[in-house]
Amino acid sequence: KAKGFGFANVFGKRDDVFLHIEVLRQSGLSDLQPGEAMAMRVIEGKRGNMAAEVQAWETVLTKSDGDAD
């Protein structure tokens, strides 16, 4: 938070994803805690993979549960 960026681990992958604080703020997740699960839309940036959008894991699960009906 103090640096304005961080890196996210992707389940099942070795490479981390760059995550800027502005992406978290736009998604309302600026208080994300280490180890907290989230869903990300990842794009290829100039220096590698970076998060373009994040959502709370619970939000994604709720949406996909509703789509199954």
Side-chain angles (χ1 to χ4, degrees):
K1 206 176 201 182
K3 292 187 259 181
F5 68 91
F7 295 89
N9 303 103
V10 178
F11 184 76
K13 303 223 178 198
R14 297 184 75 181
D15 296 334
D16 289 340
V17 175
F18 178 79
L19 181 56
H20 196 275
I21 189 69
E22 282 304 313
V23 174
L24 289 175
R25 285 185 182 134
Q26 290 171 3
S27 302
L29 297 173
S30 57
D31 291 331
L32 192 67
Q33 299 300 312
E36 192 172 337
M38 64 181 169
M40 294 187 294
R41 184 170 61 90
V42 178
I43 61 172
E44 183 68 31
K46 291 180 184 178
R47 297 182 179 171
N49 289 334
M50 61 185 288
E53 179 183 0
V54 296
Q55 293 182 9
W57 188 251
E58 296 80 21
T59 303
V60 176
L61 289 178
T62 302
K63 286 180 183 177
S64 63
D65 287 347
D67 292 343
D69 293 338

